[in-house]
Amino acid sequence: MESSSKGLCTVERRGRVHLITMTGAGEHRLNPDLLAALRSAVAASAGAGALVLAAEGKFFSNGFDLAWARAAPPGLHGAMDGGLRALLADLLALRVPTVAAVTGHAAAAGCALALAHDAALMRASRGLLYMSEVDVGIKFVDFVAAVLRDKVPDAAARRDLVLRGDRVPAAEAVRRGLVDAAVDGGPEDVVAAAVAEAERLAARGWDGEAVAEIRKAAWPQLWAQVKDHGAGPAPARPRL
């Protein structure tokens, strides 16, 4: 069964796997609308055995929606980083394994979103991981920095990602321990491989509460930054 949330993402069940796909050929910039749709889709995964997040088009996600931020009054800016903080809290507290199918470029906050999953598979022939903040002169928000500290434990790999702005292709991302596998073929092949990995994890039959608590303990810096922001309903998009 497939459903949509405001046309921003679809939800599909493939066996025991709950597949969420950000739709369209755009950059999947993380604004309050998309973040609310993703949170709703994650919340709907109850009863699934595992979750996969993927995207259509050239981009997995090109980070925060800076055009939205420029148009929004300053008092609403917190809705964007707060929405991502809450989505990461939802993912960490989820009682099933999570897999990112990085079907295209994942930059800045989009890169952090991909890395925040339990596993990540990346398209071998196209797509880069890129933390663009050093190049564009934007500071890290605290929870994005926590993603990088917890999920990129190698100091040199983390330095090159955040202080040199390396654009990391799939094979190099595997070598640096940023993703688990580089998948040959097109986006559909990455999604199929991610679903297969998620099915394998679902078949382990792990206790859901234990999965969530182990994840929080394994990435304590990230959980400390997001734990008070998830678990509730996704808020509606603030009006400009």
Side-chain angles (χ1 to χ4, degrees):
M1 179 180 294
E2 185 172 299
S3 63
S4 64
S5 179
K6 298 183 181 180
L8 299 175
C9 64
T10 60
V11 177
E12 180 184 352
R13 288 294 288 268
R14 295 193 184 180
R16 287 171 290 189
V17 176
H18 184 89
L19 171 62
I20 302 170
T21 305
M22 294 180 278
T23 56
E27 297 182 4
H28 309 300
R29 291 275 186 172
L30 299 172
N31 56 39
D33 274 346
L34 178 54
L35 289 163
L38 290 173
R39 291 194 65 204
S40 294
V42 170
S45 65
L51 179 146
V52 170
L53 177 62
E56 296 177 344
K58 179 179 178 180
F59 289 88
F60 176 80
S61 171
N62 205 17
F64 280 135
D65 191 339
L66 301 182
W68 181 91
R70 285 191 292 270
L76 296 183
H77 288 181
M80 190 163 61
D81 62 353
L84 180 56
R85 191 189 299 264
L87 174 60
L88 297 186
D90 295 342
L91 289 171
L92 263 68
L94 201 63
R95 296 187 172 199
V96 300
T98 63
V99 180
V102 186
T103 43
H105 302 310
C111 180
L113 175 60
L115 295 179
H117 289 72
D118 299 338
L121 283 69
M122 192 172 172
R123 186 177 175 185
S125 60
R126 187 171 183 177
L128 301 168
L129 298 182
Y130 172 41
M131 295 305 294
S132 58
E133 285 83 351
V134 70
D135 287 328
V136 299
I138 296 176
K139 298 177 183 178
F140 284 121
V141 292
D142 53 6
F143 64 93
V144 169
V147 171
L148 297 166
R149 287 194 301 270
D150 275 347
K151 301 293 286 190
V152 188
D154 181 80
R158 187 168 61 249
R159 176 205 62 199
D160 291 348
L161 195 63
V162 304
L163 284 174
R164 296 184 178 178
D166 280 6
R167 293 168 169 83
V168 186
E172 183 65 15
V174 173
R175 189 189 71 79
R176 297 187 189 187
L178 303 178
V179 301
D180 297 276
V183 180
D184 292 326
E188 66 282 357
D189 298 298
V190 183
V191 172
V195 169
E197 173 64 9
E199 280 280 14
R200 186 186 70 80
L201 295 173
R204 300 291 297 272
W206 289 320
D207 177 83
E209 182 177 1
V211 167
E213 293 305 315
I214 290 170
R215 188 188 290 122
K216 296 170 190 176
W219 300 305
Q221 297 179 87
L222 176 55
W223 179 241
Q225 293 291 344
V226 304
K227 64 180 181 180
D228 296 326
H229 298 269
R237 181 188 189 276
R239 295 185 178 182
L240 302 184

